[in-house]
Amino acid sequence: MEQELLVPELLAPLVRNTIFSGHIHHYLQVESTNLLAKAAALGASEAASEGEVFIAEEQTAGRGRGSHQWYSEREAGIYCSVVLRPQIKAADILWLSLIAAVALQDAMKEVTGLSPDIRWPNDLLINDKKFCGILTEVHTESDRVHHAIVGIGINVNHRALPADLESTATSLHLETGKEWSRLQLTASLLKALDREYRALLRAVNSPVPSSTARFESILKRVEARSSYARGKHVHVDENGGFSGITDGLDTRGFLRVRTEQGLRMAISGSVRPLARRTDAAGD
Amino acid sequence: MNQKELKELIEFLIDKDISEFELERGDVKVRIKRGADQQVAPIIQHIPVSNHPAPAAHPGPVAVSSTPLPAHPPATPAPPAAEEGLHIVKSPIVGTFYESPSPGSPPFVKAGDTIETGQVLCIIEAMKLMNEIESDISGELVKRLVNNSQPVEYGQPLFAIRPR
């Protein structure tokens, strides 16, 4: 199958009526789409940059969490960053991390029929290997969000991955043997992201006084769609590291982990599965 | 939170040289502010789940004066209190504190630096969301109040800045 480039002329008509339709920028090669989005967000006045999308066919320095890189082979994957300008408190922006995962999962399901798993907070996995990652970068002024950039990398038609990634990462092609339309996947992703973002803003601005009640539907959906939310034996690489059995999300969206020393929360660490131990306490 | 946990919390704050601390968990809100004389004045209030402000007359400050506090001063001096004119930048979210944009790169700021309003001071990460924290004031950075990779709570003081 001849792959189309992800140019605005093809993509924009597919995402009409979303906040992204009029703001798609396409590049053949960039350092990192998140960097382009950040420059646009910092340079723009007020909400001018809301909904801008930066898509590249190839990244030379695709970024992940910490010092991680995102392997970005030319025209094989989707490397896309969007700029959002929600008028919300910094404390509420964390939900963006979870709704992005839900949107990404919906889009992958819609186009491929597969049901990828969500590994808290927002990695997408097929057969326990990661094929989508999200890196969100937020800029806050005092207690308010100035802008948020959601960077998304999806391994689509990669025929092979570098040796150091093979055991933990995969692509849609490697798992299904098929070539997938990046255009359809990108369009479906932007539509799902638009839908989830609007729902988040409604929840944030809802007159319901209890924040637990406002965000309950997000929590429930993440829990229902992720095998990692409950009953999974995991290690969390955070604050010295700890291991235990996952026990749902708390009211802020953090992952509860029952350890032998008591209940702990995964807040910012990487969550990785552990082989289930037969002697695990409370299991 | 019981008296023992409260005592442990206060000892932790003294040990880590944290001058002001706020924690909201469920319907319990704890606010602790340490004055220049190293004394600790904790206030615990039960706030209604509805998020309406608690009436001022609610339980009131809980005295913990019966708990002897460590007599020795912290290893590093506490930052001069607000009345000495320092501006405290606090964390707007719960997360992990990072002093630099990525591991191994130089810190955004260090003590003695001149800070401009809007300058990025640090990153707080939670749920793979990197939150760049801006200074809301211009001045001289006097002290960083937390260590790199340390977990921070909502409202926890991060930097002390002497306004220009």
Side-chain angles (χ1 to χ4, degrees):
Chain A
M1 180 163 88
E2 181 72 18
Q3 279 283 336
E4 317 92 328
L5 298 185
L6 300 173
V7 291
E9 291 76 3
L10 296 175
L11 192 53
L14 302 177
V15 296
R16 263 198 291 267
N17 301 323
T18 71
I19 57 169
F20 306 117
S21 59
H23 311 280
I24 298 169
H25 310 275
H26 175 259
Y27 303 84
L28 292 178
Q29 187 195 65
V30 301
E31 199 179 328
S32 145
T33 55
N34 261 32
L35 285 180
L36 289 178
K38 189 172 182 174
L42 286 173
S45 61
E46 294 304 308
S49 56
E50 168 95 331
E52 291 213 52
V53 184
F54 295 84
I55 297 175
E57 298 296 334
E58 181 180 7
Q59 295 185 110
T60 55
R63 291 193 290 158
R65 180 173 169 267
S67 55
H68 293 183
Q69 299 266 310
W70 187 265
Y71 175 69
S72 307
E73 183 183 327
R74 182 161 63 95
E75 291 172 40
I78 296 168
Y79 319 113
C80 168
S81 297
V82 304
V83 180
L84 301 174
R85 300 292 293 264
Q87 306 289 307
I88 64 177
K89 284 189 300 185
D92 288 330
I93 196 66
L94 291 183
W95 295 107
L96 192 57
S97 220
L98 296 177
I99 63 148
V102 170
L104 196 48
Q105 191 189 40
D106 273 347
M108 294 304 113
K109 259 186 195 171
E110 183 183 86
V111 177
T112 67
L114 301 168
S115 293
D117 197 4
I118 295 175
R119 180 171 63 199
W120 186 94
N122 56 21
D123 288 340
L124 252 66
L125 316 175
I126 304 179
N127 299 328
D128 298 326
K129 288 181 170 183
K130 177 169 168 175
F131 77 108
C132 299
I134 299 174
L135 178 68
T136 310
E137 296 187 87
V138 175
H139 199 84
T140 55
E141 291 173 342
S142 298
D143 198 27
R144 307 292 296 182
V145 172
H146 178 271
H147 68 260
I149 291 154
V150 183
I152 297 168
I154 310 174
N155 298 340
V156 182
N157 293 321
H158 302 59
R159 305 290 166 123
L161 289 167
D164 59 326
L165 295 177
E166 265 180 348
S167 62
T168 54
T170 191
S171 73
L172 285 174
H173 184 271
L174 286 169
E175 295 302 313
T176 63
K178 291 187 197 160
E179 181 124 337
W180 296 95
S181 162
R182 293 182 309 138
L183 190 63
Q184 294 300 329
L185 288 166
T186 308
S188 186
L189 166 64
L190 292 177
K191 283 190 285 185
L193 205 52
D194 176 77
R195 198 163 60 230
E196 290 295 335
Y197 178 55
R198 289 172 198 258
L200 172 63
L201 294 182
R202 279 197 301 276
V204 170
N205 297 317
S206 154
V208 176
S210 154
S211 72
T212 308
R214 282 202 304 268
F215 299 113
E216 194 177 15
S217 77
I218 297 176
L219 283 177
K220 282 194 169 156
R221 278 188 300 151
V222 175
E223 286 192 344
R225 289 146 165 261
S226 168
S227 79
Y228 277 77
R230 278 183 202 281
K232 192 100 169 173
H233 191 200
V234 297
H235 178 79
V236 182
D237 170 22
E238 170 177 339
N239 206 3
F242 55 92
S243 301
I245 309 290
T246 60
D247 188 23
L249 305 185
D250 78 0
T251 56
R252 301 164 298 180
F254 296 133
L255 182 64
R256 293 152 51 95
V257 181
R258 294 213 173 271
T259 73
E260 283 172 6
Q261 290 75 42
L263 183 65
R264 297 195 56 176
M265 302 294 162
I267 289 170
S268 62
S270 289
V271 173
R272 292 292 177 268
L274 288 173
R276 188 170 284 266
R277 294 180 322 191
T278 50
D279 62 345
D283 186 26
Chain B
M1 178 173 286
N2 60 31
Q3 284 283 331
K4 179 171 172 289
E5 287 168 332
L6 184 62
K7 185 180 167 225
E8 282 172 5
L9 172 64
I10 292 167
E11 282 169 357
F12 173 81
L13 296 180
I14 292 169
D15 184 48
K16 298 292 181 193
D17 192 15
I18 294 164
S19 60
E20 202 173 337
F21 174 87
E22 259 183 77
L23 168 71
E24 211 172 320
R25 188 168 287 167
D27 60 353
V28 176
K29 186 171 182 179
V30 181
R31 183 159 175 274
I32 296 172
K33 195 169 180 177
R34 296 170 56 214
D37 60 354
Q38 318 269 341
Q39 283 299 316
V40 178
I43 296 168
I44 295 188
Q45 55 183 188
H46 293 269
I47 55 169
V49 179
S50 68
N51 277 357
H52 290 304
H58 216 321
V62 176
V64 289
S65 50
S66 59
T67 307
L69 294 166
H72 61 86
T76 47
E83 53 264 37
E84 287 180 39
L86 289 189
H87 176 79
I88 303 294
V89 177
K90 297 173 187 170
S91 180
I93 60 166
V94 176
T96 301
F97 174 92
Y98 295 113
E99 64 175 355
S100 61
S102 60
S105 58
F108 289 105
V109 292
K110 55 187 190 308
D113 282 2
T114 302
I115 305 295
E116 301 296 336
T117 304
Q119 187 173 341
V120 175
L121 300 174
C122 65
I123 287 176
I124 310 288
E125 183 199 3
M127 294 194 213
K128 275 173 68 183
L129 185 147
M130 313 307 237
N131 205 326
E132 287 186 339
I133 309 299
E134 272 190 1
S135 180
D136 50 1
I137 199 167
S138 301
E140 182 203 348
L141 188 89
V142 176
K143 196 171 193 310
R144 188 188 68 193
L145 304 169
V146 288
N147 294 320
N148 195 35
S149 301
Q150 180 189 320
V152 294
E153 284 290 343
Y154 172 79
Q156 184 169 334
L158 303 174
F159 295 96
I161 294 174
R162 181 171 293 117
R164 219 181 5 235

